[in-house]
Amino acid sequence: MDEGLLWWQRGIIYQIYPRSFQDSSGDGIGNLRGILQRLDYLESLQIDAIWLSPIYRSPMADFGYDVADYTAIDPIFGTMDDFDRLLDAVHRRGMKLVMDLIPNHTSDQHAWFIESRSSRDSAKRDWYIWRDPAPDGGPPNNWLSMFGGPAWTLDEHTGQYYLHQFARQQPELNYRNPEVLRAMLDVLRFWFDKGIDGFRIDVIWLLLKDEDLRDEPLNPTWDGIQPHAQFEHIYTQNLPGVHDLIRALRRVTDEYENRVLIGEIYLPVEDLVTYYGDEDEVHLPFNFQLVELDWKAPVIREAIAAYERSLPERAWPNWVLGNHDRHRIATRAGAAQARAANMLLLTLRGTPTTYYGEEIGMENVPIPLALMQDPPALNQPEMAHVVGRDPVRTPMQWDDSPNAGFTHPDATPWLPLAADYETRNVARQDAEPASMLNLYRALTALRCQEPALYRGAYQAVEAGVDDVLAYLRTADGHARFLVVLNLGSSQHTLDLSAAGSTAQIAIASDLLRAGNVDLAHLALGPDEGLVLRLD
Ligand code: GLC
């Protein structure tokens, strides 16, 4: 019984960074056959959908987010045959496969760009954003790349600059030319025809830029750290016309049954929710508040409330705890909080997204400068430790063998393994009844079974203590749950009698505490979380 919910409403999404999940070839880089070998594990997590970061043909300047061919698999990851086999195997297990779509830019090695840069008269010149130099020969305006330096690179051969808000190997497509959108819609059709279940769309809020390329104004609240943040991005982000483009992507998606579009969007909640459109834009505009905000109960409580208030009618919420661009939650919130953080993710209202390794508490891995690979870190070595994303992309820790079971024991993994992999790994946590992995499984199992959790209402409960988040999840005619999470490191005794007199512990964060509790005097240890069944 799913009460008419669609799979992406009812289910849990798990993000795989393919380079780092499982290598089957011994080259030290993960691949599709590796993922295929690990489907039992994914099934054991009771996740419903796998989102794969890009696997298309790419020179890997931004590790696949620079696409040279949208309809080919990069040989590093395998062949189209491997892909078809993976898709089929995922489907046979009742799971879904979501691909990454990167429509904002291509690789500079994409045939479209090679053609575009060949001459000012190229038939594809206008597929990218070219402009003459400023009178002093410099870039056409003050726009900056998020990876450091100007957002413009001069092409000596034709004497014009092209726009790139990421690496210079990622020239941006010009969506003011309708041919570009048509070509991208064909990419969607190619993969939907193959049977994939949806796309996570990269930087979807950046697709359109100011036609007149006006300079961006200074940001009066700049903290002086990230150069890119010194301007207000009113001419490169969130332009009104971007919604027309998204509606076109959605129309093609709706030609197929039961597919999903998820948008990568870093915007304040009131802007974020406009990307639902009138149920005609993305199904899930990724909600990154748990990724962005300080890990403090009052901040998160208010963020949940603001999100719940802002959601348009019929819009389905979603929550993300981590991804391949941001610090891992166990590092950001502290290792002791990792369990409570997963409890929060898996008991909030809306589709949860887990980043690989969060279920075993993987942390950021410090990467020495000489081994760093990520373009923003390499372009800005003085800030590498702030902007570098390698630390969150290290190999999955499967067991305590050399190379953690990620690749052949004699291979060199593309990024170093975490120092703690011999003790923090899947095999070990699988065998420990009270491990974090088994907590994750207990949470997903409960969420899958209980209507209150997968589709019920959310209601905040006043816990009377700043550090503690408490909320009810309820669905008519079904068991109700009270979730109590201590996001701090002190012990508390709470009076939650407004929610009932007693309750039964369904899941405790240590997986040990059990039995009934008195809600008028509920003891909660440091970093402890409880999912309580009320009736
Ligand atoms: C998105 C991706 C990130 C990539 C960037 C450029 O933010 O998540 O990894 O570098 O877009 O494609």
Side-chain angles (χ1 to χ4, degrees):
M1 270 253 301
D2 63 6
E3 294 94 358
L5 291 188
L6 298 166
W7 63 267
W8 50 267
Q9 298 176 310
R10 168 112 197 219
I12 298 162
I13 300 172
Y14 185 92
Q15 180 190 357
I16 289 182
Y17 194 69
R19 293 180 74 85
S20 301
F21 200 61
Q22 178 65 55
D23 174 28
S24 73
S25 70
D27 67 357
I29 304 176
N31 56 18
L32 294 174
R33 287 188 186 194
I35 297 171
L36 190 63
Q37 290 167 13
R38 294 296 185 182
L39 292 186
D40 282 348
Y41 173 70
L42 295 171
E43 215 178 330
S44 84
L45 297 179
Q46 297 208 46
I47 54 109
D48 301 81
I50 302 166
W51 151 34
L52 290 183
S53 276
I55 53 170
Y56 311 108
R57 194 161 72 72
S58 164
M60 304 288 164
D62 189 19
F63 298 105
Y65 284 95
D66 49 323
V67 178
D69 184 342
Y70 288 99
T71 56
I73 304 293
D74 195 278
I76 286 183
F77 298 119
T79 62
M80 193 57 91
D81 219 41
D82 294 331
F83 176 81
D84 291 340
R85 239 176 292 146
L86 177 64
L87 179 61
D88 185 53
V90 167
H91 282 167
R92 271 188 284 113
R93 287 168 187 256
M95 293 189 284
K96 306 285 184 185
L97 193 69
V98 173
M99 304 272 284
D100 220 300
L101 181 75
I102 303 99
N104 181 63
H105 42 269
T106 68
S107 159
D108 62 350
Q109 302 303 310
H110 195 293
W112 299 341
F113 189 70
I114 293 174
E115 163 70 40
S116 181
R117 85 186 309 175
S118 66
S119 95
R120 289 196 186 206
D121 308 322
S122 152
K124 290 208 163 49
R125 187 64 170 181
D126 187 44
W127 278 42
Y128 293 84
I129 300 175
W130 292 98
R131 281 298 185 282
D132 286 334
D136 67 355
N141 67 18
N142 72 353
W143 297 356
L144 294 179
S145 160
M146 297 192 205
F147 286 180
W152 298 94
T153 288
L154 180 65
D155 176 59
E156 300 283 348
H157 170 63
T158 56
Q160 285 191 311
Y161 282 86
Y162 65 86
L163 178 72
H164 58 86
Q165 297 186 78
F166 297 93
R168 66 183 161 72
Q169 298 93 331
Q170 292 168 296
E172 304 215 1
L173 287 160
N174 174 20
Y175 280 90
R176 295 188 186 273
N177 178 337
E179 287 174 30
V180 173
L181 179 61
R182 275 201 291 275
M184 202 48 69
L185 296 178
D186 283 344
V187 173
L188 264 77
R189 290 192 182 95
F190 175 88
W191 291 103
F192 282 145
D193 285 340
K194 268 193 169 293
I196 70 147
D197 301 287
F199 286 105
R200 170 269 188 190
I201 307 179
D202 196 63
V203 295
I204 198 167
W205 84 115
L206 308 187
L207 285 183
L208 208 65
K209 351 286 161 186
D210 182 44
E211 201 162 9
D212 302 326
L213 305 184
R214 280 171 282 184
D215 276 350
E216 293 194 316
L218 284 171
N219 171 7
T221 61
W222 184 42
D223 60 5
I225 301 173
Q226 290 243 23
H228 183 259
Q230 67 191 282
F231 296 110
E232 287 184 332
H233 302 298
I234 58 172
Y235 296 131
T236 50
Q237 305 193 355
N238 197 27
L239 267 66
V242 82
H243 296 278
D244 298 328
L245 298 172
I246 299 173
R247 277 191 287 270
L249 300 173
R250 175 66 180 262
R251 275 194 296 276
V252 168
T253 307
D254 285 346
E255 290 167 14
Y256 298 80
E257 245 174 88
N258 224 0
R259 314 294 162 105
V260 70
L261 291 182
I262 306 170
E264 185 203 20
I265 302 162
Y266 285 94
L267 283 175
V269 161
E270 48 303 354
D271 295 321
L272 176 71
V273 296
T274 65
Y275 285 75
Y276 285 103
D278 189 8
E279 291 184 72
D280 57 357
E281 297 189 38
V282 294
H283 302 85
L284 298 175
F286 258 153
N287 166 18
F288 291 125
Q289 294 184 92
L290 297 181
V291 172
E292 298 251 281
L293 294 174
D294 280 352
W295 199 257
K296 297 206 165 67
V299 175
I300 292 176
R301 186 182 305 121
E302 180 44 36
I304 300 169
Y307 185 57
E308 287 279 346
R309 271 198 308 272
S310 313
L311 283 167
E313 215 186 320
R314 296 171 58 84
W316 189 261
N318 77 91
W319 294 93
V320 181
L321 198 55
N323 62 34
H324 62 294
D325 295 326
R326 300 300 169 115
H327 297 300
R328 284 193 178 270
I329 184 67
T331 299
R332 210 154 40 83
Q337 271 293 309
R339 287 180 180 237
N342 275 298
M343 287 184 117
L344 176 66
L345 175 74
L346 294 168
T347 59
L348 280 173
R349 189 175 84 86
T351 307
T353 299
T354 288
Y355 183 50
Y356 82 95
E358 273 171 10
E359 71 278 22
I360 57 168
M362 275 175 67
E363 297 180 31
N364 281 14
V365 178
I367 310 286
L369 201 53
L371 295 179
M372 278 184 196
Q373 319 226 11
D374 188 28
L378 298 180
N379 293 346
Q380 309 162 92
E382 67 294 348
M383 287 200 309
H385 295 289
V386 182
V387 297
R389 300 168 297 177
D390 296 319
V392 307
R393 298 173 175 180
T394 59
M396 180 69 175
Q397 296 156 212
W398 293 105
D399 57 41
D400 62 3
S401 68
N403 285 334
F406 161 69
T407 182
H408 190 278
D410 301 329
T412 306
W414 79 284
L415 282 175
L417 282 150
D420 70 350
Y421 86 82
E422 288 180 12
T423 49
R424 184 189 305 283
N425 61 60
V426 169
R428 180 157 175 164
Q429 294 198 18
D430 205 32
E432 275 172 17
S435 68
M436 186 153 158
L437 176 58
N438 284 322
L439 170 65
Y440 187 89
R441 288 174 171 147
L443 288 163
T444 55
L446 190 70
R447 184 179 177 100
C448 290
Q449 276 159 25
E450 293 293 345
L453 295 177
Y454 66 74
R455 68 170 168 80
Y458 166 92
Q459 191 193 327
V461 170
E462 184 45 66
V465 174
D466 253 5
D467 276 350
V468 175
L469 269 185
Y471 48 91
L472 284 169
R473 298 295 319 279
T474 57
D476 282 349
H478 296 278
R480 299 182 307 137
F481 290 87
L482 173 63
V483 181
V484 190
L485 303 171
N486 188 352
L487 302 200
S489 51
S490 322
Q491 175 140 351
H492 299 287
T493 302
L494 307 170
D495 178 1
L496 295 172
S497 54
S501 53
T502 61
Q504 189 200 357
I505 297 179
I507 303 178
S509 53
D510 64 1
L511 287 187
L512 298 172
R513 194 169 162 190
N516 289 329
V517 291
D518 171 2
L519 290 177
H521 307 278
L522 177 66
L524 196 64
D527 305 296
E528 187 175 24
L530 297 172
V531 181
L532 303 170
R533 189 187 296 267
L534 284 175
D535 41 53

